[in-house]
Amino acid sequence: QVQLVESGGGLVPAGGSLKLSCQASGDIFSIGTAIMGWYRQAPGDQREMVGFIDRSGTTSMADSVKGRFTISRDNAKNTVALQMDNLKPEDTALYYCNVPTNADGGVRFAWGQGTQVTVSS
């Protein structure tokens, strides 16, 4: 089975930046061959997709983070990153990566532990 491990979270002031990383381990799985999504879940809220990167490298971001967050992929390292700039307190959440399988929130793998992002005002 494949495990997705997210890292890079932390506590930052509003306006700060963080770069999250997602690495796949376990069974053979090439991040470069899949659509990879980043998600987040704030306390009391449902998990939502932040954005995704397709096989060609084209990205699509949620309106709430457009212009502030970017997704990139390093196929050699089998990782996908989420660069977050100009962070806002409302970005505080647990962040996850996964492979979306449909438009209704379905994903391919079990959720990892996530990485906590906390933005102070």
Side-chain angles (χ1 to χ4, degrees), residues 73-104:
R73 181 168 52 208
D74 186 331
N75 292 341
K77 295 182 179 179
N78 208 26
T79 59
V80 61
L82 178 66
Q83 176 68 45
M84 306 186 295
D85 298 315
N86 191 21
L87 282 159
K88 303 176 180 181
E90 51 264 42
D91 295 319
T92 294
L94 199 55
Y95 283 72
Y96 304 86
C97 63
N98 214 313
V99 178
T101 56
N102 57 50
D104 294 330

Side-chain angles (χ1 to χ4, degrees), residues 3-7 21-25 38 79-80 97 112-115:
Q3 291 85 39
L4 298 171
V5 180
E6 302 89 355
S7 62
S21 181
C22 167
Q23 183 152 32
S25 63
W38 277 98
T79 59
V80 61
C97 63
Q113 297 290 320
T115 186

Side-chain angles (χ1 to χ4, degrees), residues 36-117:
M36 293 299 302
W38 277 98
Y39 302 76
R40 67 185 181 186
Q41 186 170 20
D45 290 346
Q46 289 191 334
R47 190 156 18 212
E48 63 175 356
M49 177 180 273
V50 173
F52 66 86
I53 183 168
D54 70 13
R55 297 175 187 84
S56 70
T58 300
T59 61
S60 178
M61 310 302 292
D63 287 344
S64 59
V65 304
K66 201 170 291 184
R68 300 187 298 120
F69 291 11
T70 56
I71 297 176
S72 62
R73 181 168 52 208
D74 186 331
N75 292 341
K77 295 182 179 179
N78 208 26
T79 59
V80 61
L82 178 66
Q83 176 68 45
M84 306 186 295
D85 298 315
N86 191 21
L87 282 159
K88 303 176 180 181
E90 51 264 42
D91 295 319
T92 294
L94 199 55
Y95 283 72
Y96 304 86
C97 63
N98 214 313
V99 178
T101 56
N102 57 50
D104 294 330
V107 293
R108 180 173 174 184
F109 301 117
W111 293 103
Q113 297 290 320
T115 186
Q116 178 67 41
V117 172

